[in-house]
């Protein structure tokens, strides 16, 4: 009878460890995706001599208006 709570805790611990590993893998993939995107934008800006990223502090373009 005493082993049931221990077994349950061990199973929960194992499940949580597996979830942590899965989340770490997803985080690594998203970090790699973000790094790839930044590199791709840098290369495109350099190759085509255009600004792709919006500079900080710039407002919306005048052609964009909000409608209700």
């Amino acid at each position: 009878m005493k082993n049931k709570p221990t077994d349950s805790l061990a199973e929960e611990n194992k499940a949580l460890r597996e979830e942590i590993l899965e989340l770490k893998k997803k985080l690594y993939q998203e970090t790699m995706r973000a790094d790839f995107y930044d590199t791709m934008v840098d290369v495109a800006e350099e190759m085509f001599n255009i600004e792709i990223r919006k500079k900080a502090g710039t407002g919306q373009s005048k052609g964009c208006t909000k409608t209700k």
Side-chain angles (χ1 to χ4, degrees), residues 25-63:
K25 287 178 186 177
K26 287 182 179 181
L27 176 62
Y28 175 77
Q29 289 173 343
E30 281 300 309
T31 303
M32 292 297 292
R33 186 192 65 78
D35 289 344
F36 173 76
Y37 175 80
D38 284 340
T39 302
M40 182 179 65
V41 170
D42 289 342
V43 169
E45 284 180 335
E46 187 176 318
M47 282 181 69
F48 300 111
N49 198 25
I50 57 172
E51 292 181 15
I52 296 173
R53 289 186 183 93
K54 187 172 182 177
K55 302 297 181 200
T58 59
Q60 263 188 333
S61 62
K62 293 181 182 180

Tab-separated table of all heavy atoms in Angstrom, residues 25-63:
chain	number	residue	atom	x	y	z
A	25	LYS	N	13.792	21.180	-26.170
A	25	LYS	CA	13.992	20.979	-27.607
A	25	LYS	C	13.247	22.039	-28.410
A	25	LYS	O	13.776	22.597	-29.371
A	25	LYS	CB	13.512	19.586	-28.026
A	25	LYS	CG	14.416	18.469	-27.586
A	25	LYS	CD	13.851	17.120	-27.994
A	25	LYS	CE	14.671	15.977	-27.425
A	25	LYS	NZ	14.097	14.666	-27.766
A	26	LYS	N	12.013	22.324	-28.013
A	26	LYS	CA	11.218	23.335	-28.710
A	26	LYS	C	11.854	24.715	-28.574
A	26	LYS	O	11.880	25.495	-29.527
A	26	LYS	CB	9.789	23.354	-28.184
A	26	LYS	CG	8.972	22.171	-28.633
A	26	LYS	CD	7.552	22.249	-28.121
A	26	LYS	CE	6.747	21.052	-28.598
A	26	LYS	NZ	5.356	21.108	-28.136
A	27	LEU	N	12.358	25.023	-27.390
A	27	LEU	CA	13.023	26.304	-27.181
A	27	LEU	C	14.260	26.423	-28.054
A	27	LEU	O	14.500	27.471	-28.676
A	27	LEU	CB	13.399	26.470	-25.710
A	27	LEU	CG	14.195	27.727	-25.349
A	27	LEU	CD1	13.384	28.989	-25.660
A	27	LEU	CD2	14.597	27.689	-23.885
A	28	TYR	N	15.036	25.353	-28.141
A	28	TYR	CA	16.230	25.348	-28.982
A	28	TYR	C	15.849	25.577	-30.447
A	28	TYR	O	16.479	26.371	-31.141
A	28	TYR	CB	16.973	24.017	-28.820
A	28	TYR	CG	18.158	23.885	-29.745
A	28	TYR	CD1	19.353	24.559	-29.470
A	28	TYR	CD2	18.087	23.104	-30.894
A	28	TYR	CE1	20.441	24.444	-30.322
A	28	TYR	CE2	19.168	22.996	-31.744
A	28	TYR	CZ	20.341	23.662	-31.459
A	28	TYR	OH	21.405	23.549	-32.309
A	29	GLN	N	14.787	24.892	-30.900
A	29	GLN	CA	14.349	25.051	-32.289
A	29	GLN	C	13.885	26.479	-32.563
A	29	GLN	O	14.203	27.048	-33.615
A	29	GLN	CB	13.224	24.059	-32.609
A	29	GLN	CG	13.692	22.630	-32.685
A	29	GLN	CD	12.534	21.653	-32.836
A	29	GLN	OE1	11.388	21.980	-32.578
A	29	GLN	NE2	12.848	20.436	-33.250
A	30	GLU	N	13.152	27.067	-31.646
A	30	GLU	CA	12.675	28.444	-31.830
A	30	GLU	C	13.835	29.436	-31.805
A	30	GLU	O	13.832	30.418	-32.546
A	30	GLU	CB	11.634	28.803	-30.771
A	30	GLU	CG	10.274	28.242	-31.070
A	30	GLU	CD	9.714	28.736	-32.396
A	30	GLU	OE1	9.695	29.954	-32.644
A	30	GLU	OE2	9.305	27.880	-33.199
A	31	THR	N	14.823	29.174	-30.960
A	31	THR	CA	16.005	30.034	-30.912
A	31	THR	C	16.759	29.956	-32.234
A	31	THR	O	17.181	30.987	-32.779
A	31	THR	CB	16.924	29.625	-29.749
A	31	THR	OG1	16.180	29.694	-28.532
A	31	THR	CG2	18.133	30.536	-29.647
A	32	MET	N	16.902	28.744	-32.758
A	32	MET	CA	17.571	28.574	-34.046
A	32	MET	C	16.780	29.260	-35.163
A	32	MET	O	17.359	29.901	-36.044
A	32	MET	CB	17.744	27.082	-34.363
A	32	MET	CG	18.707	26.371	-33.451
A	32	MET	SD	20.386	27.004	-33.561
A	32	MET	CE	20.802	26.483	-35.197
A	33	ARG	N	15.450	29.150	-35.127
A	33	ARG	CA	14.603	29.781	-36.138
A	33	ARG	C	14.764	31.302	-36.094
A	33	ARG	O	14.909	31.954	-37.120
A	33	ARG	CB	13.131	29.407	-35.929
A	33	ARG	CG	12.209	29.919	-37.029
A	33	ARG	CD	10.754	29.787	-36.654
A	33	ARG	NE	10.399	30.625	-35.525
A	33	ARG	CZ	10.183	31.943	-35.611
A	33	ARG	NH1	10.299	32.556	-36.745
A	33	ARG	NH2	9.860	32.634	-34.540
A	34	ALA	N	14.777	31.862	-34.891
A	34	ALA	CA	14.937	33.308	-34.747
A	34	ALA	C	16.309	33.765	-35.239
A	34	ALA	O	16.426	34.792	-35.921
A	34	ALA	CB	14.728	33.715	-33.286
A	35	ASP	N	17.352	33.002	-34.919
A	35	ASP	CA	18.696	33.335	-35.386
A	35	ASP	C	18.774	33.264	-36.912
A	35	ASP	O	19.387	34.110	-37.560
A	35	ASP	CB	19.736	32.401	-34.774
A	35	ASP	CG	19.948	32.659	-33.290
A	35	ASP	OD1	19.527	33.726	-32.801
A	35	ASP	OD2	20.529	31.781	-32.620
A	36	PHE	N	18.152	32.235	-37.487
A	36	PHE	CA	18.129	32.094	-38.940
A	36	PHE	C	17.416	33.281	-39.579
A	36	PHE	O	17.889	33.841	-40.568
A	36	PHE	CB	17.440	30.790	-39.341
A	36	PHE	CG	17.241	30.658	-40.823
A	36	PHE	CD1	18.305	30.339	-41.648
A	36	PHE	CD2	15.997	30.877	-41.392
A	36	PHE	CE1	18.135	30.236	-43.023
A	36	PHE	CE2	15.811	30.773	-42.761
A	36	PHE	CZ	16.882	30.454	-43.581
A	37	TYR	N	16.284	33.673	-39.023
A	37	TYR	CA	15.527	34.803	-39.549
A	37	TYR	C	16.368	36.080	-39.513
A	37	TYR	O	16.426	36.823	-40.500
A	37	TYR	CB	14.233	34.995	-38.755
A	37	TYR	CG	13.449	36.204	-39.166
A	37	TYR	CD1	12.637	36.181	-40.293
A	37	TYR	CD2	13.517	37.386	-38.439
A	37	TYR	CE1	11.917	37.298	-40.685
A	37	TYR	CE2	12.808	38.508	-38.820
A	37	TYR	CZ	12.000	38.453	-39.941
A	37	TYR	OH	11.305	39.569	-40.320
A	38	ASP	N	17.022	36.342	-38.383
A	38	ASP	CA	17.871	37.538	-38.270
A	38	ASP	C	18.982	37.521	-39.310
A	38	ASP	O	19.274	38.537	-39.950
A	38	ASP	CB	18.478	37.642	-36.868
A	38	ASP	CG	17.480	38.110	-35.831
A	38	ASP	OD1	16.451	38.718	-36.216
A	38	ASP	OD2	17.723	37.867	-34.638
A	39	THR	N	19.622	36.361	-39.484
A	39	THR	CA	20.702	36.241	-40.466
A	39	THR	C	20.167	36.447	-41.875
A	39	THR	O	20.788	37.143	-42.686
A	39	THR	CB	21.371	34.862	-40.347
A	39	THR	OG1	21.857	34.697	-39.016
A	39	THR	CG2	22.513	34.729	-41.328
A	40	MET	N	19.003	35.876	-42.159
A	40	MET	CA	18.393	36.014	-43.480
A	40	MET	C	18.090	37.489	-43.777
A	40	MET	O	18.366	37.974	-44.876
A	40	MET	CB	17.111	35.188	-43.551
A	40	MET	CG	16.420	35.231	-44.887
A	40	MET	SD	14.922	34.220	-44.930
A	40	MET	CE	13.892	35.070	-43.754
A	41	VAL	N	17.563	38.199	-42.800
A	41	VAL	CA	17.251	39.617	-42.987
A	41	VAL	C	18.544	40.413	-43.179
A	41	VAL	O	18.621	41.291	-44.047
A	41	VAL	CB	16.415	40.163	-41.815
A	41	VAL	CG1	16.300	41.672	-41.876
A	41	VAL	CG2	15.031	39.526	-41.811
A	42	ASP	N	19.566	40.117	-42.385
A	42	ASP	CA	20.856	40.811	-42.529
A	42	ASP	C	21.423	40.632	-43.939
A	42	ASP	O	21.882	41.589	-44.560
A	42	ASP	CB	21.873	40.286	-41.506
A	42	ASP	CG	21.549	40.708	-40.085
A	42	ASP	OD1	20.767	41.669	-39.895
A	42	ASP	OD2	22.068	40.055	-39.152
A	43	VAL	N	21.396	39.393	-44.422
A	43	VAL	CA	21.931	39.104	-45.763
A	43	VAL	C	21.107	39.828	-46.830
A	43	VAL	O	21.662	40.440	-47.747
A	43	VAL	CB	21.972	37.585	-46.022
A	43	VAL	CG1	22.270	37.278	-47.477
A	43	VAL	CG2	23.004	36.927	-45.114
A	44	ALA	N	19.788	39.785	-46.710
A	44	ALA	CA	18.922	40.437	-47.688
A	44	ALA	C	19.138	41.951	-47.686
A	44	ALA	O	19.198	42.583	-48.754
A	44	ALA	CB	17.457	40.119	-47.408
A	45	GLU	N	19.266	42.552	-46.510
A	45	GLU	CA	19.504	43.999	-46.432
A	45	GLU	C	20.831	44.357	-47.108
A	45	GLU	O	20.928	45.361	-47.816
A	45	GLU	CB	19.515	44.463	-44.974
A	45	GLU	CG	18.151	44.554	-44.352
A	45	GLU	CD	18.171	45.018	-42.907
A	45	GLU	OE1	19.192	44.836	-42.205
A	45	GLU	OE2	17.144	45.564	-42.480
A	46	GLU	N	21.839	43.535	-46.886
A	46	GLU	CA	23.146	43.797	-47.472
A	46	GLU	C	23.142	43.576	-48.985
A	46	GLU	O	23.664	44.384	-49.752
A	46	GLU	CB	24.205	42.907	-46.816
A	46	GLU	CG	25.614	43.236	-47.234
A	46	GLU	CD	26.633	42.402	-46.484
A	46	GLU	OE1	26.471	42.213	-45.262
A	46	GLU	OE2	27.582	41.940	-47.144
A	47	MET	N	22.525	42.482	-49.435
A	47	MET	CA	22.528	42.138	-50.859
A	47	MET	C	21.729	43.130	-51.698
A	47	MET	O	22.146	43.525	-52.780
A	47	MET	CB	21.951	40.735	-51.074
A	47	MET	CG	22.907	39.619	-50.739
A	47	MET	SD	22.179	37.999	-51.043
A	47	MET	CE	22.075	38.007	-52.821
A	48	PHE	N	20.561	43.518	-51.182
A	48	PHE	CA	19.663	44.355	-51.966
A	48	PHE	C	19.703	45.830	-51.557
A	48	PHE	O	18.986	46.651	-52.119
A	48	PHE	CB	18.233	43.825	-51.876
A	48	PHE	CG	18.116	42.419	-52.397
A	48	PHE	CD1	17.847	41.368	-51.532
A	48	PHE	CD2	18.290	42.142	-53.740
A	48	PHE	CE1	17.739	40.067	-52.003
A	48	PHE	CE2	18.190	40.847	-54.216
A	48	PHE	CZ	17.915	39.806	-53.348
A	49	ASN	N	20.522	46.128	-50.553
A	49	ASN	CA	20.719	47.499	-50.085
A	49	ASN	C	19.380	48.174	-49.756
A	49	ASN	O	19.100	49.298	-50.175
A	49	ASN	CB	21.501	48.318	-51.122
A	49	ASN	CG	22.083	49.575	-50.499
A	49	ASN	OD1	22.316	49.623	-49.298
A	49	ASN	ND2	22.310	50.582	-51.318
A	50	ILE	N	18.534	47.451	-49.023
A	50	ILE	CA	17.256	47.998	-48.572
A	50	ILE	C	17.104	47.726	-47.076
A	50	ILE	O	17.718	46.809	-46.535
A	50	ILE	CB	16.055	47.375	-49.318
A	50	ILE	CG1	16.054	45.855	-49.151
A	50	ILE	CG2	16.042	47.769	-50.780
A	50	ILE	CD1	14.819	45.166	-49.689
A	51	GLU	N	16.303	48.558	-46.418
A	51	GLU	CA	16.035	48.344	-45.000
A	51	GLU	C	14.772	47.493	-44.868
A	51	GLU	O	13.718	47.854	-45.365
A	51	GLU	CB	15.841	49.676	-44.289
A	51	GLU	CG	17.108	50.505	-44.210
A	51	GLU	CD	16.898	51.815	-43.466
A	51	GLU	OE1	15.874	51.954	-42.776
A	51	GLU	OE2	17.756	52.683	-43.592
A	52	ILE	N	14.911	46.370	-44.217
A	52	ILE	CA	13.773	45.487	-44.012
A	52	ILE	C	13.196	45.684	-42.615
A	52	ILE	O	11.992	45.763	-42.442
A	52	ILE	CB	14.167	44.018	-44.231
A	52	ILE	CG1	14.591	43.825	-45.685
A	52	ILE	CG2	13.036	43.074	-43.858
A	52	ILE	CD1	15.163	42.466	-45.997
A	53	ARG	N	14.070	45.796	-41.643
A	53	ARG	CA	13.617	45.996	-40.263
A	53	ARG	C	13.175	47.443	-40.073
A	53	ARG	O	13.794	48.371	-40.564
A	53	ARG	CB	14.745	45.692	-39.290
A	53	ARG	CG	15.081	44.241	-39.192
A	53	ARG	CD	16.113	44.039	-38.086
A	53	ARG	NE	16.520	42.669	-38.004
A	53	ARG	CZ	17.578	42.156	-38.625
A	53	ARG	NH1	18.337	42.923	-39.355
A	53	ARG	NH2	17.874	40.881	-38.505
A	54	LYS	N	12.125	47.613	-39.307
A	54	LYS	CA	11.656	48.951	-38.985
A	54	LYS	C	12.550	49.499	-37.874
A	54	LYS	O	12.827	48.823	-36.887
A	54	LYS	CB	10.200	48.900	-38.512
A	54	LYS	CG	9.600	50.261	-38.320
A	54	LYS	CD	8.115	50.151	-38.049
A	54	LYS	CE	7.537	51.538	-37.910
A	54	LYS	NZ	6.103	51.517	-37.712
A	55	LYS	N	13.000	50.695	-38.035
A	55	LYS	CA	13.871	51.312	-37.042
A	55	LYS	C	13.062	51.742	-35.830
A	55	LYS	O	11.913	52.159	-35.942
A	55	LYS	CB	14.586	52.535	-37.632
A	55	LYS	CG	15.417	52.219	-38.863
A	55	LYS	CD	16.538	51.275	-38.536
A	55	LYS	CE	17.354	51.000	-39.778
A	55	LYS	NZ	18.139	49.821	-39.700
A	56	ALA	N	13.663	51.665	-34.661
A	56	ALA	CA	12.994	52.054	-33.424
A	56	ALA	C	12.664	53.543	-33.458
A	56	ALA	O	13.440	54.365	-33.936
A	56	ALA	CB	13.880	51.747	-32.225
A	57	GLY	N	11.495	53.880	-32.971
A	57	GLY	CA	11.105	55.281	-32.876
A	57	GLY	C	10.424	55.831	-34.107
A	57	GLY	O	9.996	56.975	-34.119
A	58	THR	N	10.316	55.048	-35.170
A	58	THR	CA	9.637	55.538	-36.356
A	58	THR	C	8.148	55.286	-36.214
A	58	THR	O	7.716	54.294	-35.628
A	58	THR	CB	10.147	54.854	-37.642
A	58	THR	OG1	9.931	53.451	-37.520
A	58	THR	CG2	11.608	55.128	-37.862
A	59	GLY	N	7.351	56.173	-36.752
A	59	GLY	CA	5.907	56.033	-36.666
A	59	GLY	C	5.361	55.215	-37.811
A	59	GLY	O	6.082	54.761	-38.689
A	60	GLN	N	4.028	55.043	-37.814
A	60	GLN	CA	3.384	54.336	-38.898
A	60	GLN	C	3.459	55.172	-40.161
A	60	GLN	O	3.479	56.400	-40.107
A	60	GLN	CB	1.903	54.088	-38.571
A	60	GLN	CG	1.616	52.753	-38.014
A	60	GLN	CD	0.109	52.519	-37.914
A	60	GLN	OE1	-0.648	53.451	-37.793
A	60	GLN	NE2	-0.275	51.268	-37.931
A	61	SER	N	3.469	54.505	-41.293
A	61	SER	CA	3.458	55.240	-42.538
A	61	SER	C	2.117	55.949	-42.702
A	61	SER	O	1.104	55.508	-42.151
A	61	SER	CB	3.722	54.303	-43.719
A	61	SER	OG	2.703	53.340	-43.804
A	62	LYS	N	2.093	57.033	-43.454
A	62	LYS	CA	0.881	57.844	-43.586
A	62	LYS	C	-0.230	57.117	-44.326
A	62	LYS	O	-1.386	57.458	-44.190
A	62	LYS	CB	1.211	59.174	-44.257
A	62	LYS	CG	2.090	60.038	-43.378
A	62	LYS	CD	2.404	61.356	-44.032
A	62	LYS	CE	3.325	62.134	-43.102
A	62	LYS	NZ	3.690	63.407	-43.625
A	63	GLY	N	0.110	56.118	-45.111
A	63	GLY	CA	-0.895	55.381	-45.859
A	63	GLY	C	-1.710	54.441	-44.982
A	63	GLY	O	-2.797	54.010	-45.361
